[in-house]
Amino acid sequence: MATLLKQDNWYYSQFYCKDRSPQRKRIALKTKTKRTAQKIHKKLEDKYAQNLYDPWTGYDATKSTLPVSENSSIKEVLDYYVTQKSQEDWRSTTAKNTSYVLYSFGRYIGEDKCIQALKPDQINSFLNRDKYAYATKKTHKKKIVPFAKWCKKENLISYDFGKVKIYNNDKEQDNTINYLTEEEIEKLKNGIREKVAHDIEKGYQNAERNAYWLIDFIDWQRYSGMRISETLSLRPENINTETWEVTIGSDSFNTKSKAKQILPIGEVEPLKKLAKKLLENCSEGERLFKHKDRRRTSRTFKKYVRYALPEREDICVHSSRHTCCIHLLRSGVPIYTVQRWMRHASVKTTQNYADLLNMDISNQVGSAFA
């Protein structure tokens, strides 16, 4: 009926039905503990056998009744919301970060209060605390407002959350899109070469296993614009060497949009050349960059940024994605093409980068009619 599988230390339940498409459907159990995985797997099997659960559609009859009401406390509603979203579509990192903000918000307004005490003014008060930067306020808003809208959808509250606003304390908004110039990228790569060579000579790093891989990683990021988790999850089977298409997402890894995405690199020579190099040194099933820990990679990257570019403390791995987007726009690539390459859900996101460049509209329109 169903098989308990383990991949990269994570457990999955795989269901099979010859009449369904696809015939095999893998469900992430979101645990690394075998005993916990066995319990969850057994529950899913039982519900599937009783036609109470369909892994292909996500239908679960046992969740049809909402266990919270308009008289529930804020903490009770938060617990249910976080649990449900974690099971439905949140990735583990999303669940951790979002729940941290939501529970902080709950403590701020009083988690023992009735859910009906939740009002737009309280959200505004939490979001606009002076100790947080404007970018952090925006991040918090993206996590709290969906929760409030969900509460309204479930008839737990009835307020208009269109009044939720964040303010910048009458200060000019800081540039939150941090990116690297071509000169800074070369300086960073040279800094890595210099530091690693010195460490190998002193015996601090191994000649066969060292941080030289970061150079290829940086180039891949700047050309592909992929997110760090997407890049570290790449395997040889994700790259079709006949069509030169990179498939982002797999049964064991979900993209931000929860759907598999395609990146065509056939005409992108620097990226295609790098892909060939990486494939030559990678076995089937092995990770392309041979690293999977996102946090460790981020810390290592930051270490070399501080060494080579001490004045750019604002730079992180994600800045290389910004760098790719900025470079494409600056080179005159149409904004909708850039949106598709970056895989932004909305062109409005891409427009933020274009606005940052303060493009000369007159020159572009003039060249079109020349």
Side-chain angles (χ1 to χ4, degrees), residues 234-249:
L234 284 178
R235 302 173 189 272
E237 52 264 35
N238 295 129
I239 302 179
N240 187 328
T241 54
E242 294 182 0
T243 61
W244 286 106
E245 292 180 336
V246 179
T247 301
I248 304 172

Side-chain angles (χ1 to χ4, degrees), residues 42-222:
K42 180 68 167 57
K43 287 182 180 179
L44 292 179
E45 268 195 323
D46 291 344
K47 288 193 290 186
Y48 181 66
Q50 299 171 39
N51 292 322
L52 298 175
Y53 174 67
D54 186 345
W56 280 267
T57 63
Y59 168 74
D60 191 341
T62 62
K63 296 179 182 177
S64 58
T65 304
L66 199 66
V68 291
S69 68
E70 57 186 16
N71 297 318
S72 299
S73 69
I74 290 174
K75 186 177 188 308
E76 289 173 336
V77 177
L78 279 174
D79 286 341
Y80 176 75
Y81 176 77
V82 170
T83 300
Q84 284 299 104
K85 296 297 288 184
S86 297
Q87 292 175 349
E88 291 172 3
D89 57 2
W90 280 354
R91 291 187 290 176
S92 57
T93 305
T94 304
K96 180 179 179 180
N97 295 339
T98 305
S99 60
Y100 175 81
V101 174
L102 288 175
Y103 284 120
S104 296
F105 172 64
R107 289 190 294 271
Y108 179 81
I109 63 176
E111 54 188 13
D112 293 330
K113 292 182 179 179
C114 177
I115 187 62
Q116 292 210 335
L118 179 60
K119 299 179 181 179
D121 290 344
Q122 292 175 317
I123 299 180
N124 282 334
S125 176
F126 176 80
L127 293 177
N128 291 292
R129 290 173 291 171
D130 292 336
K131 66 179 181 179
Y132 290 115
Y134 183 78
T136 305
K137 294 176 184 178
K138 290 200 298 184
T139 301
H140 288 177
K141 181 182 176 183
K142 290 178 181 178
K143 293 173 171 56
I144 295 173
V145 171
F147 166 68
K149 289 182 176 179
W150 175 86
C151 289
K152 184 176 181 180
K153 176 185 174 184
E154 299 295 342
N155 297 317
L156 301 178
I157 53 178
S158 58
Y159 300 105
D160 177 17
F161 288 92
K163 297 178 181 178
V164 173
K165 305 289 182 183
I166 51 176
Y167 308 102
N168 206 12
N169 301 325
D170 296 323
K171 297 178 182 177
E172 183 179 353
Q173 181 180 343
D174 292 333
N175 172 14
T176 58
I177 300 179
N178 304 314
Y179 63 96
L180 291 163
T181 64
E182 292 291 323
E183 293 75 16
E184 287 174 328
I185 292 174
E186 291 306 314
K187 188 175 179 180
L188 175 58
K189 289 161 60 177
N190 289 333
I192 294 173
R193 293 187 185 98
E194 178 184 292
K195 179 64 175 171
V196 173
H198 175 269
D199 287 352
I200 291 175
E201 183 180 345
K202 293 293 184 179
Y204 302 145
Q205 293 193 48
N206 192 296
E208 296 180 357
R209 187 174 178 82
N210 49 60
Y212 277 135
W213 73 277
L214 269 180
I215 296 174
D216 288 339
F217 176 77
I218 291 169
D219 280 338
W220 183 273
Q221 293 297 93
R222 67 186 282 209

